[in-house]
Amino acid sequence: MNYEVVIGLEIHVELATKSKIFCGCTTKFGGEINTHCCPICTSMPGTLPVMNERVVEFAAKAGLAMNCEIANFSKMDRKNYFYPDLPKAYQISQFDLPICKGGYVDIEIEGKTKRIGITRIHMEEDAGKLLHDQWEKGSLVDYNRCGVPLIEIVSEPDMRSPEEARAYAEKVRLILQYTGVSDCKMQEGSLRADVNLSLRPIGQKKFGTRTEMKNLNSFRAILRAAESEIQRQSRVLDEGGVITQETRRWDDDEGKSYAMRNKEEAHDYRYFPEPDLVPIELTDETINKYRESLPELSHERVKRYIHKLGIPEYDASLITASVKTADFFDDTVNSGADPKTASNWIMGNLMRLMKEVNTEDIPFGGEMLHELIGLIEKGAISNNIAKTVFAEMFRTGKTPLEIVKEKGLEVVSDAGELGQIVDKIISANSKSVEDYLGGKQKAIGFLMGQVMKETKGKANPPMVNKLLRDKLELLK
Amino acid sequence: MRRIKKRVLLESQKLLSKVNFLNIGKLTIKEAADALQNKEISVIELTEKFFDRIDNIDDKINAYVSICRKQALADAAEAQALINEGGGGIMTGIPMAVKDNICTETIETTCASKMLGNFKPPYTATAIEKLRNDGAVLLGKANLDEFAMGSSTENSYIKNTRNPWDVNRVPGGSSGGSAAAVASGQALFALGSDTGGSIRQPAAFCGIVGLKPTYGTVSRYGLVAFASSLDQIGPLTKTVEDSAIVLNSISGKDPKDATSIDSGIADYTEGIKRGVKGMKIGIPRQYLSGEIAVGVRNKIEAAIDSYEKMGAVCEETSLDLADYAIAAYYIISSAEASSNLARYDGVKYGFRSSNYKNLLDLYKNTRSEGFGAEVKRRIMLGTYVLSSGYYDAYYKKALQIRTLIKNEFDGLFKKYNCILGPTTPTTAYKIGEKTDNPLEMYLGDVFTVSVNIAGIPAISIPCGNDESGLPVGMQLIGSAFSEKTLFQAAYAYEREHPFAIAPEVQA
Amino acid sequence: MKISFETVEYVAGLARLNLSEKEKEMMVVSMSGILEYMDKLNSLDTEGVKPLEHVEPMSNVFRKDVVAESFDRDSILANAPDKEEGAFRVPKIVE
């Protein structure tokens, strides 16, 4: 039977604050186990939470960037359940009065724009981490991540394919990165998605029973988990079975999901208003201030790049696919580089280097690329040498000039020195010389190449060209 | 440091003769501060005197669960050095007891529960930090009902505290250890916590002054939470003026407690002696009818007469919702408690059962073996009223009634400067008398809980003794941040029934 | 309201309490008594009354996003009943 797929996503994103949501501990990733902790985030008796104001600002900005309505009045609530990664045995979250409601995100799918509704965005705290594998005798608990601020973005069940789910998740990530509220580093778990998926016979209005797949931390996992769940559910339905509403765990290595052990009262969270925190009231004035301070988002930048900077649409969309490359491009152009030259460098060399080491971080600013382009334009280095220098910049973070000097990569423009090399090449390649003299203009290219080879690419090409022609002319 | 101690010792020997004239049992903060500043006694001597008294009589009273002799003597030496330099204030060198649900760094904070038997917090509660900064000396930690749940201190896992007026009777609760320590002269004052009457009721039972400040006046940071929206730390003292003096030290906005407030009141003792002439006092008829002991009613009626004689205008009024306060209180407090006490799971601190095979066993056995019966009952009750399908019927309903109760008080305070009534329906009862009937125990809180529900201040002061010679407590209730009015009214009456040391512990 | 034995079992499960059969029976009696007393609240009409969560009309109490030094790990773990390798230890969890 053919089914229609219905997917909704809950995306958890760690916010880019410096300190945790309710205490001053750092949010820095990594660090020795349990060293980013204090009595508050480890929930010692008598300690109290105090809200980090930037969390509210970031959550509201995320909502504005996703076209949500920002609540003038919202409050924090307790969600009660026992688990070792949750030291208070309740998570401070938001229940009935979230900070953002009713927004949307537009995605591009098969060349068309589709609008995905956002139900709500709320603020909450992250849990700690359980380490299971290495220890035989038990699981270990690390609270370094406990209390890192999160927002949970709940979509409407508007997606109709795994590809749409993936495109939506990617778009959300892009928006958050542009807004500056999260770096969304997937490999550090700072963006995780729960996929809610159900099937219904085509034409049926009523939703089928859904399952929830938890904690998917890559776009690929979202796609594969959704595909796998569609297959599993259709098999069950085709065999006349019924779907059980349950939480499933996706094993990305095996490419399979498993029903999680069902806790008998899994959904009785006994939410109630957090008495230790007072409500959050945002005036329209504050909300407008947040709105005005929103940075330029990706679709706005695409427009500017095309219309103001005159680069092709293809370039613009590629560069804006990551806020890091877009910011880098802006920096390069703002320091004075030609936009098209800059975009060529970014799309070619920079993106290849980033991909090679699988990073989103660029270890130097756009002004460095501008400096490099300047060296080429001045004729101080050749285009080929520039590529080598760029790779070195990426590896070491050193400036182009430093690298050129250190490695002696300056172009040789000394006529005497080059003249000797040209003489040497002419005398060593009599066949090509004859060809040239016999009228084969192309033969000069080979001789040029030999000179460049001899000088390890450092010779000033126009000068070599001129010297060659002059000296060959003399042989006529 | 050593040199300072030596000098202090020499001076204290010189002063020894004068010390003997001080009656430690009746000594107030005010008197002690004067004696210390005038060098009639040294801080170390005073501290030693209190430890001597603890050594002598606490076997009989069981007020303390732990004593911090070494730290106290070190603090005393430091306080004396400050006084010798001509510095220090009224709290410098004043020995105190602290209820054992208020955290003290490196000193066990047990909440009188098996669950936190060995817990040593790596931090100190803001209220205690403030007192110590002002020079107060911590003698030890006082007994309480486990996690402050109870009205008799019989729910302590550690021991039963006894009422200094009759050691066969309860001291009240949950700050029973704090009240008994002050009433028996084993501390100059004590800190307690009040969620539904836990400062005022034991103060009434032990014949001392107990203040529940306006919610937010004293930081809750470091107070082990029972019901976060109701809990307040407050002083238990021998006199009204001492109560104001302690409040001066512990009150104030704390960046670590988002619900704390700057009341804007710089000195709570200011104007305390102004009297009550022209003051309007409301007496809700519900507070003098129903299940109230005759001995209590007589004393309260006598107090009303005294107030009128002093020029106050006393008027009968009505608190229609008084009858609903207990039900609302037990729903709200148990709900919050069920969540606040969920963190005791044997993972991070405190007790862990030795009987478990998996995580669920660990949780269940730890919590079942670590908590006492009353705590379990409140957790069950609180979990139930928050659970799916019952939230609206109980929890939300209780919060709505909370609104109505607050509105009713607000209405009364438009007419009256304060409200007067008994603190408790009876005087102290026998140990074991009510332990079998939790509901009956809860009903003893009938006059105190609505104050916490509305977040307003109230003070309990001694009001004479009943026919069995047991202290009766009178409660004065005010609007939010009207502590100064309460002190003023209480101070005026205090002359009538000043603090008396219980006959059992007169030594 | 009277509550059933099964409800007591369900609530005990939520609260992670192990109660003996006798404790459960006692809990049925004492909780029912207390809840019946609480039912008196139903005699008050609260239609349209706003629930009061915080007694003081305060809002927007925040801290600045400033990093403070974390605690020494030994002090965080000092009270732990079971620890290993700088972490709290619990029985092996199978998800």
Side-chain angles (χ1 to χ4, degrees), chain B residues 161-237:
Chain B
T161 297
R162 294 162 182 277
N163 191 316
W165 290 82
D166 176 352
V167 291
N168 296 314
R169 290 177 187 270
V170 301
S174 64
S175 312
S178 296
V182 175
S184 59
Q186 299 188 75
L188 268 183
F189 77 96
L191 285 192
S193 68
D194 191 315
T195 306
S198 280
I199 289 173
R200 292 158 288 156
Q201 187 256 22
F205 278 14
C206 292
I208 58 169
V209 176
L211 174 79
K212 198 294 279 188
T214 305
Y215 185 80
T217 300
V218 181
S219 167
R220 291 184 294 118
Y221 190 82
L223 167 65
V224 178
F226 160 14
S228 316
S229 78
L230 304 163
D231 295 341
Q232 262 297 280
I233 291 174
L236 293 106
T237 55

Side-chain angles (χ1 to χ4, degrees), chain B residues 35-228:
Chain B
L36 290 171
Q37 289 293 339
N38 297 335
K39 312 261 175 89
E40 290 162 29
I41 184 171
S42 78
V43 182
I44 291 188
E45 282 169 330
L46 184 65
T47 309
E48 296 275 23
K49 276 258 155 195
F50 274 98
F51 283 129
D52 287 349
R53 188 161 173 92
I54 292 168
D55 291 342
N56 285 337
I57 67 166
D58 204 39
D59 282 358
K60 202 157 134 190
I61 305 296
N62 282 335
Y64 284 96
V65 294
S66 62
I67 295 296
C68 334
R69 201 180 294 260
K70 218 174 135 197
Q71 179 70 47
L73 290 172
D75 290 351
E78 232 176 274
Q80 187 60 49
L82 194 64
I83 291 173
N84 291 348
E85 286 161 18
I90 196 157
M91 293 306 293
T92 309
I94 301 296
M96 63 173 171
V98 167
K99 189 177 182 179
D100 206 24
N101 62 346
I102 305 177
C103 289
T104 39
E105 189 176 344
T106 71
I107 299 167
E108 280 170 9
T109 301
T110 67
C111 292
S113 177
K114 182 179 178 182
M115 193 57 109
L116 281 177
N118 303 313
F119 179 64
K120 284 185 184 161
Y123 46 92
T124 296
T126 300
I128 298 186
E129 216 153 64
K130 280 170 168 271
L131 283 165
R132 292 188 53 152
N133 286 344
D134 287 348
V137 175
L138 177 66
L139 298 172
K141 305 295 289 286
N143 199 18
L144 65 152
D145 285 297
E146 183 179 5
F147 283 103
M149 294 176 189
S151 313
S152 65
T153 314
E154 290 164 290
N155 296 331
S156 166
Y157 175 71
I158 301 167
K159 53 180 155 185
N160 275 351
T161 297
R162 294 162 182 277
N163 191 316
W165 290 82
D166 176 352
V167 291
N168 296 314
R169 290 177 187 270
V170 301
S174 64
S175 312
S178 296
V182 175
S184 59
Q186 299 188 75
L188 268 183
F189 77 96
L191 285 192
S193 68
D194 191 315
T195 306
S198 280
I199 289 173
R200 292 158 288 156
Q201 187 256 22
F205 278 14
C206 292
I208 58 169
V209 176
L211 174 79
K212 198 294 279 188
T214 305
Y215 185 80
T217 300
V218 181
S219 167
R220 291 184 294 118
Y221 190 82
L223 167 65
V224 178
F226 160 14
S228 316

Side-chain angles (χ1 to χ4, degrees), chain A residues 18-20 23-25 33-35 37 50-53 82 132 135 139 141 268 275 277 279-281, chain C residues 10 14 16 53-54 58-60 62-65 67-68 70-71 73 84 86-90 92-93 95:
Chain A
K18 292 189 183 74
S19 63
K20 291 186 178 181
C23 67
C25 288
I33 292 177
N34 289 312
T35 53
C37 297
V50 182
M51 187 84 178
N52 181 340
E53 68 180 347
F82 287 87
H132 305 297
W135 291 272
S139 298
V141 196
D268 203 341
L277 292 167
I280 297 151
E281 289 189 86
Chain C
Y10 171 76
L14 276 181
R16 298 290 185 272
E53 288 135 8
H54 294 275
M58 295 208 309
S59 63
N60 297 355
F62 300 126
R63 44 173 280 272
K64 297 257 179 255
D65 183 24
V67 175
S70 288
F71 271 53
R73 180 161 74 188
E84 191 182 308
F88 300 90
R89 185 162 63 181
V90 295
K92 188 117 183 136
I93 293 166
E95 277 178 304

Side-chain angles (χ1 to χ4, degrees), chain A residues 1-3 197 199 224-243 248 250 255-257:
Chain A
M1 195 162 152
N2 278 332
Y3 301 101
L197 189 147
L199 301 181
R224 292 175 69 217
E227 281 168 349
S228 146
E229 184 60 8
I230 291 168
Q231 279 180 15
R232 192 190 68 85
Q233 288 192 18
S234 1
R235 211 177 311 126
V236 173
L237 292 172
D238 285 345
E239 286 163 4
V242 282
I243 305 297
R248 302 182 66 83
W250 171 252
K256 270 167 80 175
S257 71

Side-chain angles (χ1 to χ4, degrees), chain C residues 1-45:
Chain C
M1 188 171 137
K2 272 210 159 52
I3 67 167
S4 67
F5 192 81
E6 289 70 30
T7 305
V8 164
E9 284 189 320
Y10 171 76
V11 173
L14 276 181
R16 298 290 185 272
L17 289 172
N18 238 348
L19 302 180
S20 67
E21 295 302 295
K22 196 174 157 238
E23 278 178 304
K24 285 179 203 163
E25 275 158 24
M26 280 165 58
M27 207 59 95
V28 168
V29 175
S30 67
M31 281 177 73
S32 294
I34 295 163
L35 288 166
E36 270 171 35
Y37 176 79
M38 287 171 176
D39 284 338
K40 78 192 299 179
L41 295 185
N42 294 329
S43 63
L44 270 184
D45 183 11

Side-chain angles (χ1 to χ4, degrees), chain B residues 86-415:
Chain B
I90 196 157
M91 293 306 293
T92 309
I94 301 296
M96 63 173 171
V98 167
K99 189 177 182 179
D100 206 24
N101 62 346
I102 305 177
C103 289
T104 39
E105 189 176 344
T106 71
I107 299 167
E108 280 170 9
T109 301
T110 67
C111 292
S113 177
K114 182 179 178 182
M115 193 57 109
L116 281 177
N118 303 313
F119 179 64
K120 284 185 184 161
Y123 46 92
T124 296
T126 300
I128 298 186
E129 216 153 64
K130 280 170 168 271
L131 283 165
R132 292 188 53 152
N133 286 344
D134 287 348
V137 175
L138 177 66
L139 298 172
K141 305 295 289 286
N143 199 18
L144 65 152
D145 285 297
E146 183 179 5
F147 283 103
M149 294 176 189
S151 313
S152 65
T153 314
E154 290 164 290
N155 296 331
S156 166
Y157 175 71
I158 301 167
K159 53 180 155 185
N160 275 351
T161 297
R162 294 162 182 277
N163 191 316
W165 290 82
D166 176 352
V167 291
N168 296 314
R169 290 177 187 270
V170 301
S174 64
S175 312
S178 296
V182 175
S184 59
Q186 299 188 75
L188 268 183
F189 77 96
L191 285 192
S193 68
D194 191 315
T195 306
S198 280
I199 289 173
R200 292 158 288 156
Q201 187 256 22
F205 278 14
C206 292
I208 58 169
V209 176
L211 174 79
K212 198 294 279 188
T214 305
Y215 185 80
T217 300
V218 181
S219 167
R220 291 184 294 118
Y221 190 82
L223 167 65
V224 178
F226 160 14
S228 316
S229 78
L230 304 163
D231 295 341
Q232 262 297 280
I233 291 174
L236 293 106
T237 55
K238 290 175 191 159
T239 67
V240 175
E241 191 173 21
D242 279 3
S243 187
I245 290 168
V246 178
L247 190 61
N248 275 345
S249 185
I250 62 177
S251 59
K253 171 88 191 152
D254 178 11
K256 290 179 185 161
D257 175 1
T259 63
S260 70
I261 302 170
D262 180 5
S263 68
I265 298 164
D267 180 8
Y268 285 96
T269 64
E270 188 264 327
I272 199 167
K273 296 174 184 171
R274 272 185 206 143
V276 292
K277 205 163 168 55
M279 199 180 264
K280 293 188 83 179
I281 300 176
I283 297 114
R285 68 178 68 89
Q286 291 83 356
Y287 281 10
L288 282 177
S289 56
E291 311 271 317
I292 169 171
V294 181
V296 172
R297 191 205 313 258
N298 290 344
K299 289 294 160 187
I300 298 298
E301 280 168 354
I304 296 167
D305 288 345
S306 301
Y307 270 113
E308 289 196 317
K309 279 189 199 124
M310 289 186 281
V313 182
C314 297
E315 207 174 276
E316 188 182 289
T317 182
S318 181
L319 250 179
D320 296 340
L321 295 169
D323 209 23
Y324 298 92
I326 287 190
Y329 169 78
Y330 276 92
I331 291 169
I332 297 168
S333 64
S334 302
E336 290 182 15
S338 73
S339 175
N340 283 330
L341 271 65
R343 68 185 61 192
Y344 306 106
D345 58 6
V347 175
K348 300 149 308 251
Y349 36 73
F351 171 75
R352 175 187 280 199
S353 167
S354 53
N355 170 27
Y356 61 89
K357 286 193 286 292
N358 55 40
L359 182 68
L360 192 64
D361 278 357
L362 165 68
Y363 280 158
K364 289 191 165 181
N365 293 334
T366 295
R367 290 169 61 76
S368 305
E369 294 164 29
F371 288 135
E374 182 58 25
V375 172
K376 284 190 231 179
R377 179 157 39 239
R378 308 266 185 126
I379 291 175
M380 288 288 291
L381 209 56
T383 305
Y384 176 76
V385 299
L386 288 175
S387 69
S388 174
Y390 298 102
Y391 182 91
D392 283 0
Y394 289 103
Y395 190 69
K396 188 179 167 202
K397 183 91 184 174
L399 290 184
Q400 288 174 315
I401 285 165
R402 187 177 200 178
T403 301
L404 299 178
I405 289 172
K406 186 170 188 298
N407 290 348
E408 192 171 35
F409 272 117
D410 287 348
L412 286 183
F413 291 123
K414 283 189 184 125
K415 286 193 276 182

Side-chain angles (χ1 to χ4, degrees), chain A residues 274-417:
Chain A
E274 168 56 275
D276 290 330
L277 292 167
V278 299
I280 297 151
E281 289 189 86
L282 298 178
T283 59
D284 291 341
E285 199 188 338
T286 306
I287 296 167
N288 279 333
K289 203 181 75 198
Y290 290 155
R291 186 178 282 119
E292 280 155 21
S293 69
L294 273 188
E296 189 186 33
L297 298 180
S298 64
H299 61 276
E300 293 163 336
R301 283 211 213 184
V302 169
K303 270 190 217 152
R304 178 165 60 86
Y305 292 174
I306 297 169
H307 300 300
K308 292 232 169 102
L309 301 179
I311 66 169
E313 188 180 340
Y314 175 78
D315 292 28
S317 60
L318 210 62
I319 287 172
T320 53
S322 150
V323 71
K324 295 268 171 71
T325 50
D327 283 348
F328 184 81
F329 173 73
D330 277 336
D331 282 353
T332 312
V333 172
N334 289 340
S335 9
D338 167 59
K340 181 60 193 161
T341 313
S343 91
N344 286 347
W345 269 93
I346 290 168
M347 293 191 305
N349 295 299
L350 181 61
M351 287 187 179
R352 181 176 47 77
L353 290 166
M354 287 170 78
K355 206 168 173 189
E356 269 172 21
V357 291
N358 189 25
T359 181
E360 290 179 35
D361 294 322
I362 306 166
F364 50 85
E367 69 285 353
M368 288 296 117
L369 175 56
H370 174 228
E371 187 183 315
L372 184 71
I373 295 170
L375 289 175
I376 304 166
E377 284 170 354
K378 269 201 317 211
I381 52 171
S382 69
N383 222 12
N384 267 336
I385 291 282
K387 284 181 192 167
T388 317
V389 173
F390 194 68
E392 191 65 14
M393 286 161 69
F394 196 81
R395 203 174 60 78
T396 62
K398 287 183 181 162
T399 73
L401 218 53
E402 274 170 0
I403 295 165
V404 167
K405 288 223 173 102
E406 251 173 46
K407 306 218 158 186
L409 297 172
E410 300 96 332
V411 165
V412 180
S413 304
D414 179 74
E417 194 183 326

